[in-house]
Amino acid sequence: MGTVALVTGANRGLGRALTEELLNRGVKKVYAAARDPHTLQDLSDDRVVRLRLDVTDAEQVRSAMEAASDVEIVFSNAGLALGTAIVGSSVLDQAQREMEVNYFGPLRLLQRLAPTLARNGGGAFVTIASVAGLTNVPFLPTYAASKAALHSLTQAARILLAAQGAAVIGVYPGPIDTDMSRALAIPKTSARDVAIAILDGVEAGQEDIFPDAFALEFARSFEASPKTSERQVAAMMLAAAA
Ligand SMILES: NC(=O)c1ccc[n+]([C@@H]2O[C@H](COP(=O)([O-])OP(=O)(O)OC[C@H]3O[C@@H](n4cnc5c(N)ncnc54)[C@H](OP(=O)(O)O)[C@@H]3O)[C@@H](O)[C@H]2O)c1
C-alpha cells in the first residue's frame, strides 16, 4: 500500500492498530493524528508524521489538513461512546458530544479534505461507523444514532465525490476489544484483526466493509431485512436484561 494516509484517533484502540498495519503494508507516509500528540511518541517509524487533531475543533482541523496536503487516503476513526440511556439528566449533553465527534468530526474532515483529495488524484475517505449505525443496538442508543448519521453521510459523500474519482468506504465493525467496549461482556475481535480486515477490504476495492465475524452475521440479517435485524436486536436486549 504505497500511499500517503491519515488516521484520526491514532494514539490507541483501532486507530493505533490501523496506523501500525498501514506501516506493515509499506505505506509511504502516515499522518498519525491525536488530541494529544505526546500519546504518539512511541510511534518511532520515520514515515510517521504526528499531528495534533481534536476533530471537534474547526481550527485544529484546518491546520492539520493544511499540513497533510499530500494525503491520499483518510481513515476517519476517532470516536466517542458515552450514553447508555435515553432518559436522565445527562442524556442530551452526552448525545451532543457523541454527535460532535462521530458525525460533525468526519463532516469537518470531508469539508476540508475533499478538495485536497481531488488535487491528489481523487483519493479515498474511509469512515469507521458501526453495525449499530445500521440497526440501533441500544446498549449505547445515542452513540448508535450518531453512527447512523455517519452512515448516511458516508452514502452522500460516495455519491457527491464520485465525480472527482474519490472512493468513499464505510466500515461497520461489531464489538472490538478496545477501551470503548471495555464494559461490554461479549465476545470481541482484536483491534489488530479488525485493522487487517479493513485494509484487506480497502485493497480489494470494497465499498462497505464488515471486518469481523459479528459484523458479517449482522450484515447478513440486515441485508435480508432491516426489520428482522431490528427484531433480533430487541430479542438480544431482552435476553441481556433477563
Ligand atoms: N470498540 C468497539 O466495539 C467499536 C465497534 C464499532 C465501531 N467502533 C468505532 O471504532 C472507532 C475507534 O474506536 P476504538 O474502539 O478504538 O475506541 P477507543 O479505544 O475508545 O479510542 C477512541 C479514539 O478516538 C479518539 N477521540 C475521541 N474523541 C476525539 C476527538 N474529539 N478528536 C480526536 N480524537 C478523538 C480517542 O482519543 P483520546 O485518547 O484523546 O481520547 C481515541 O484515540 C470509533 O469510531 C468507534 O466508534 C468501535
Side-chain angles (χ1 to χ4, degrees):
M1 193 176 255
T3 186
V4 178
L6 184 148
V7 181
T8 66
N11 55 314
R12 63 188 169 99
L14 180 60
R16 170 56 67 103
L18 279 168
T19 305
E20 288 172 353
E21 188 54 24
L22 281 162
L23 292 167
N24 286 342
R25 291 186 189 211
V27 77
K28 248 191 270 172
K29 187 196 285 185
V30 59
Y31 292 99
R35 290 195 287 189
D36 177 359
H38 292 110
T39 56
L40 299 163
Q41 257 164 359
D42 58 318
L43 278 171
S44 54
D45 194 292
D46 289 348
R47 293 168 293 162
V48 173
V49 179
R50 299 179 193 87
L51 289 180
R52 179 184 299 280
L53 179 59
D54 180 331
V55 298
T56 68
D57 183 323
E59 182 49 33
Q60 282 188 22
V61 172
R62 192 196 59 71
S63 63
M65 296 312 127
E66 250 175 46
S69 60
D70 55 349
V71 68
E72 294 166 303
I73 181 165
V74 179
F75 293 85
S76 177
N77 162 79
L80 185 67
L82 298 171
T84 56
I86 53 168
V87 177
S89 57
S90 53
V91 164
L92 280 177
D93 175 55
Q94 290 181 334
Q96 280 165 354
R97 287 168 61 199
E98 288 167 336
M99 271 296 198
E100 267 301 321
V101 178
N102 300 340
Y103 172 67
F104 289 110
L107 182 56
R108 272 186 204 97
L109 296 183
L110 269 168
Q111 179 196 19
R112 287 281 173 198
L113 274 171
T116 307
L117 293 174
R119 276 195 300 278
N120 297 337
F125 194 91
V126 184
T127 60
I128 308 297
S130 169
V131 289
L134 298 178
T135 301
N136 197 308
V137 181
F139 291 116
L140 290 166
T142 51
Y143 163 82
S146 71
K147 291 293 186 177
L150 176 60
H151 167 58
S152 183
L153 176 65
T154 304
Q155 292 177 315
R158 183 174 298 134
I159 297 164
L160 294 172
L161 301 187
Q164 73 174 51
V168 178
I169 299 155
V171 179
Y172 304 88
I176 312 169
D177 192 6
T178 64
D179 296 338
M180 183 176 282
S181 59
R182 200 64 71 216
L184 291 179
I186 49 175
K188 298 163 202 166
T189 307
S190 74
R192 181 168 180 271
D193 285 352
V194 173
I196 288 171
I198 291 172
L199 295 187
D200 285 349
V202 169
E203 287 183 335
Q206 290 175 14
E207 247 176 32
D208 302 308
I209 300 176
F210 295 91
D212 57 86
F214 184 102
L216 283 168
E217 187 54 39
F218 202 102
R220 262 192 289 278
S221 153
F222 181 78
E223 278 161 13
S225 155
K227 197 68 199 172
T228 305
S229 177
E230 183 185 328
R231 289 192 177 120
Q232 280 175 351
V233 171
M236 182 176 85
M237 292 296 289
L238 273 177

